[in-house]
Amino acid sequence: MVGTGMAARFGILVKGGGATMEAASKIDVVAFDKTGTLTMGKPVVVDSYMDESLDARSTGFSAWLNASIQELESQSSHPLAAAICTYIREHRQSDTALPPQLLEHKEMPGRGMQATVLVPAEFVTALGWPATATSARILVGKDSWVKDEGCAMPAPLEMRSRWSDNGYTPVAVALVPIAPTLSGSVVAAFALADQVRPEARDVVSKLKQRGIEVWMISGDHPAAANAIARELGIDHVMAGVLPEQKSEVVRSLQQRGKSSTSDLQLMVLGHADNTMVNSPDFGKRPATLADISAEPLGSRMTRWIPRFGRSSASKTKYHPYAKVAMVGDGVNDAPALAQADVGIAVGSGTAAAMETAPALLMRPSLYSLLTFLDLSRTVFRRVKLNFVWASMYNIVCIPIAAGILYPAVDRGLPPVIAGLLMIASSLTVMVSSLSLKLYRERKY
């Protein structure tokens, strides 16, 4: 009770009570979401692509498309969607675009937004579709999702390479005609960048100094996730992970156990190129996406995240179960927050994340995470001290109260004194617990 009260004083709401603080005092692995957790969650569009040939064939296509994108993205609460809406609004050249007619918009968690749109006749011809194809699905989201929908990617290779090298997050826009024999294509794309939280690198460094393994589990593009990880000094990355897979990643980290060394290199999931895996058990070997995707995620995690200590050559200690804390802020993180031993939501997160997580960081700083872990350890050191003190006190005093000294001194302990000694035992434990109020938050 004293510990949760102290946590609230420092802007940390512990809904799980003592059980949450006990688990937090034994954390081996901390896994972070990227967008909105390690970054400010306020991305901006830094570059864009539009298929100019379509505008040349039919004047006004780009204005109509931008209006359609803005209307669709305005239905989403994701930071990337808000950034795209802001960019279109700031770069809109005129308000003469044909009003978009969107139907049945739907958010695809971890993928993007989609809706049915009625395509004006003049734009149907520009797209090269038959005159009967007057409706289409508009997809705005991950390029991997758009590819899975069978859409061609006409964006210049040089531009896509530059975005990847700079660690930008790409968002593709595709039109897929609702016709059985026609395939869609990407007609626009945006590159977004997010600013890293100023304290994030220091927080990661201090977690490592405490012997805690740090992971990033992100649904973002592998190039963007790896760029942020390198900047922050995070060695272990799982990128391109869907929301329903994040909980499986956390479960696999728990079952894998914790190593005494950090042997893993950057690992990405869902990358179209070869991914290099380096571990004490498997050595260095390339793995193609086809190889990895053929297995369930749980099997992939068991295979690509080694059980340290299984190899005699590595000589690393192996703990059969790792205590994992997950730090996130979005709807996509809710399953992982529930699966983790300690789910921690940042105060700027969505209602779903804050409802699921048993601990909330109300201050807009990741330093509160260090305070929470440090306070939890302090509280449970005091719990152990109280237990040892009360046990020793009772071991000594109960026999005396029972008359063990009577043969030696020819008198027993008066009942009043025995009662006072019993009260003194409870008072000392209570005073010891209340002394936690002297705890002071570290200055980082």
Side-chain angles (χ1 to χ4, degrees):
M1 185 179 295
V2 177
T4 55
M6 290 298 297
R9 179 183 298 181
F10 299 129
I12 304 164
L13 180 59
V14 184
K15 298 187 294 181
T20 297
M21 297 196 78
E22 181 179 8
S25 69
K26 303 174 183 177
I27 288 300
D28 300 311
V29 180
V30 173
F32 290 96
D33 174 48
K34 184 180 80 70
T35 304
T37 304
L38 292 172
T39 65
M40 299 298 292
K42 298 179 180 178
V44 294
V45 177
V46 294
D47 199 1
S48 64
Y49 160 79
M50 183 72 70
D51 191 343
E52 297 178 354
S53 64
L54 295 174
D55 227 16
R57 297 175 202 161
S58 181
T59 305
F61 176 83
S62 60
W64 171 81
L65 180 63
N66 282 332
S68 301
I69 296 170
Q70 183 178 359
E71 182 170 337
L72 177 59
E73 291 292 82
S74 65
Q75 307 299 322
S76 174
S77 60
H78 198 282
L80 297 181
I84 292 173
C85 288
T86 301
Y87 178 81
I88 293 175
R89 189 163 48 247
E90 292 175 351
H91 292 78
R92 180 182 293 172
Q93 297 178 351
S94 66
D95 294 325
T96 59
L98 291 173
Q101 300 182 51
L102 298 184
L103 307 171
E104 302 175 355
H105 66 269
K106 182 180 181 182
E107 186 162 7
M108 309 294 290
R111 295 174 176 86
M113 294 287 292
Q114 73 171 14
T116 302
V117 60
L118 300 181
V119 184
E122 56 268 35
F123 299 152
V124 171
T125 305
L127 289 164
W129 298 347
T132 55
T134 57
S135 61
R137 286 192 302 139
I138 180 171
L139 312 178
V140 183
K142 285 184 177 179
D143 52 359
S144 58
W145 172 48
V146 171
K147 288 179 184 177
D148 291 342
E149 294 292 328
C151 299
M153 301 284 287
L157 181 61
E158 179 184 353
M159 175 182 289
R160 291 165 57 192
S161 298
R162 185 175 71 251
W163 290 359
S164 179
D165 293 341
N166 291 330
Y168 296 153
T169 299
V171 174
V173 181
L175 288 174
V176 183
I178 301 179
T181 58
L182 298 178
S183 59
S185 63
V186 173
V187 292
F190 301 92
L192 297 95
D194 199 357
Q195 182 181 357
V196 172
R197 288 182 183 268
E199 75 279 7
R201 183 175 181 84
D202 192 33
V203 170
V204 170
S205 175
K206 284 181 166 54
L207 287 173
K208 287 182 174 182
Q209 291 172 11
R210 298 181 183 189
I212 296 175
E213 200 172 274
V214 181
W215 280 74
M216 178 196 291
I217 305 175
S218 174
D220 212 338
H221 192 277
N226 289 341
I228 297 296
R230 284 191 294 268
E231 183 176 351
L232 299 180
I234 297 177
D235 301 318
H236 312 305
V237 179
M238 289 296 291
V241 182
L242 297 176
E244 59 270 20
Q245 295 175 327
K246 284 188 176 183
S247 62
E248 295 183 38
V249 175
V250 171
R251 186 183 300 110
S252 297
L253 287 173
Q254 292 169 330
Q255 295 172 350
R256 180 210 68 175
K258 178 182 179 292
S259 69
S260 58
T261 59
S262 298
D263 301 297
L264 295 183
Q265 299 294 323
L266 289 177
M267 298 191 303
V268 294
L269 176 67
H271 200 298
D273 303 322
N274 283 352
T275 299
M276 194 62 70
V277 179
N278 185 12
S279 79
D281 294 307
F282 299 108
K284 186 176 287 187
R285 54 158 293 185
T288 63
L289 178 62
D291 296 332
I292 299 174
S293 300
E295 305 175 51
L297 182 64
S299 301
R300 282 180 257 160
M301 289 293 299
T302 304
R303 184 171 160 215
W304 298 120
I305 303 180
R307 293 182 178 272
F308 289 100
R310 189 171 54 190
S311 169
S312 58
S314 64
K315 295 183 179 179
T316 56
K317 297 173 79 175
Y318 170 62
H319 306 276
Y321 184 86
K323 291 283 187 180
V324 178
M326 177 70 193
V327 187
D329 73 315
V331 176
N332 296 345
D333 303 319
L337 292 172
Q339 173 61 38
D341 296 280
V342 181
I344 304 171
V346 297
S348 59
T350 62
M354 291 190 287
E355 180 67 26
T356 303
L360 305 179
L361 307 181
M362 305 307 296
R363 293 179 181 175
S365 172
L366 288 178
Y367 283 129
S368 295
L369 172 63
L370 299 179
T371 301
F372 175 50
L373 298 180
D374 186 55
L375 178 60
S376 297
R377 291 183 179 184
T378 301
V379 167
F380 274 86
R381 279 198 300 266
R382 186 54 53 94
V383 169
K384 293 175 183 177
L385 175 64
N386 289 345
F387 178 77
V388 172
W389 161 251
S391 298
M392 293 178 61
Y393 187 96
N394 288 324
I395 287 173
V396 172
C397 291
I398 288 177
I400 294 175
I404 194 172
L405 298 180
Y406 188 86
V409 298
D410 198 30
R411 60 183 301 180
L413 196 66
V416 174
I417 301 300
L420 289 175
L421 287 176
M422 195 64 198
I423 294 173
S425 172
S426 300
L427 284 176
T428 53
V429 170
M430 183 178 66
V431 170
S432 175
S433 298
L434 289 174
S435 67
L436 285 171
K437 290 184 175 292
L438 300 175
Y439 175 87
R440 293 294 178 266
E441 185 177 15
R442 294 186 185 183
K443 302 299 181 183
Y444 297 106

